[in-house]
């Protein structure tokens, strides 16, 4: 299975019916492809779309209907559009059940860095700071390493997105939960050993006994 699809499928298993969910750009946008529209999950984007559906097939795109990253989306029955002020009111008002975001780094305290790399051009901070602070649950969906360098580190060296601790980290190798005492290794990907995960992780991981394999059968 493609690593990005594996991550998206495992994250989809965390999404409960009839919830309001924000998907960040990149890997998070794939999550909606693994959930049936009749589950009543409404996907929200910072640019003011509430009720995004699956990615439209080629030739069925509408240039007026995109997510916050400019990618084409579809709309489910009952979807609505609003201006950015109302959209961010949903986020800052604590109305989002879940946000799924990518990351540049996550550290042992569960803190996230995902909005800029010093010295490189950044078009803007986007809505990540508001999302991490305002959503009820924050899930990080990212590749475990970047060009061989670990992205799960003892302390973030890049500018933090928020002081808040994220709730779950899902990579193509593992599912990790940040807690008061550190990062707990909950699951490993199919055919991935604990030793491989430890070798690709700079931060200390807490686990005991056999770490179970990710259950991807419950994804929809």
């Amino acid at each position: 299975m493609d690593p990005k699809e594996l991550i998206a499928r495992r994250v989809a298993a965390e999404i409960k019916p009839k919830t309001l969910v924000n998907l960040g750009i990149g890997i998070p946008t794939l999550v909606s492809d693994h959930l049936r529209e009749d589950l009543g999950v409404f996907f929200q984007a910072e640019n003011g779309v509430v009720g995004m559906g699956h990615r439209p097939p080629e030739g069925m795109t509408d240039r007026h209907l995109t997510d916050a990253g400019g990618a084409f989306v579809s709309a489910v029955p009952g979807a609505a559009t609003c201006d950015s002020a109302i959209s961010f009111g949903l986020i800052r008002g604590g109305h989002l059940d879940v946000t799924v975001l990518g990351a540049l780094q996550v550290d042992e305290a569960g803190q996230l860095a995902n909005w800029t790399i010093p010295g490189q051009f950044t078009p803007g901070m986007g809505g990540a700071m508001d999302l991490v602070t305002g959503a009820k649950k924050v899930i990080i969906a990212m590749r475990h390493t970047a060009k061989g360098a670990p992205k799960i580190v003892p302390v973030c060296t890049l500018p933090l997105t928020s002081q808040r601790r994220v709730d779950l980290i899902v990579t193509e190798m593992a599912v990790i939960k940040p807690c008061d005492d550190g990062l707990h290794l909950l699951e490993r990907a199919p055919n991935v050993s604990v030793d491989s995960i430890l070798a690709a992780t700079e931060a200390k991981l807490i686990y005991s006994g056999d770490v179970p394999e990710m259950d991807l059968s419950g994804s929809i």
Side-chain angles (χ1 to χ4, degrees), residues 104-106 142-155 157-158 197-203:
L104 297 170
Q105 291 178 328
V106 184
M142 68 174 191
R143 297 294 297 266
H144 207 93
T145 61
K147 298 180 180 179
K151 297 174 68 175
I152 303 175
V153 295
V155 179
T157 56
L158 298 173
I197 297 169
L198 296 177
T201 308
E202 191 174 309

Side-chain angles (χ1 to χ4, degrees), residues 27-67:
I27 294 174
T29 62
L30 304 175
V31 173
S32 63
D33 292 341
H34 299 280
L35 289 166
R36 298 196 318 269
E37 291 183 354
D38 63 0
L39 291 176
V41 176
F42 266 53
F43 291 101
Q44 182 258 10
E46 300 97 297
N47 60 328
V49 183
V50 181
M52 293 187 296
H54 298 308
R55 290 172 294 175
E58 187 175 353
M60 297 297 289
T61 57
D62 183 337
R63 66 187 181 90
H64 299 294
L65 191 57
T66 68
D67 62 18

Side-chain angles (χ1 to χ4, degrees), residues 16-169:
K16 293 179 172 55
K18 301 186 184 302
T19 51
L20 182 61
V21 179
N22 175 282
L23 300 178
I25 61 175
I27 294 174
T29 62
L30 304 175
V31 173
S32 63
D33 292 341
H34 299 280
L35 289 166
R36 298 196 318 269
E37 291 183 354
D38 63 0
L39 291 176
V41 176
F42 266 53
F43 291 101
Q44 182 258 10
E46 300 97 297
N47 60 328
V49 183
V50 181
M52 293 187 296
H54 298 308
R55 290 172 294 175
E58 187 175 353
M60 297 297 289
T61 57
D62 183 337
R63 66 187 181 90
H64 299 294
L65 191 57
T66 68
D67 62 18
F72 292 114
V73 296
S74 62
V76 302
T81 59
C82 58
D83 62 20
S84 291
I86 292 176
S87 182
F88 274 86
L90 291 172
I91 297 168
R92 295 169 180 169
H95 303 290
L96 273 181
D97 295 296
V98 181
T99 184
V100 183
L101 299 171
L104 297 170
Q105 291 178 328
V106 184
D107 65 21
E108 289 181 4
Q111 292 186 319
L112 165 70
N114 80 339
W115 72 278
T116 188
I117 299 176
Q120 294 189 17
F121 172 74
T122 302
M125 64 183 66
M129 295 177 182
D130 297 274
L131 289 163
V132 176
T133 303
K136 296 173 185 174
K137 182 174 183 178
V138 180
I139 300 174
I140 301 304
M142 68 174 191
R143 297 294 297 266
H144 207 93
T145 61
K147 298 180 180 179
K151 297 174 68 175
I152 303 175
V153 295
V155 179
C156 287
T157 56
L158 298 173
L160 293 179
T161 303
S162 173
Q163 293 292 325
R164 175 185 172 176
R165 182 171 68 201
V166 303
D167 297 286
L168 198 68
I169 305 164

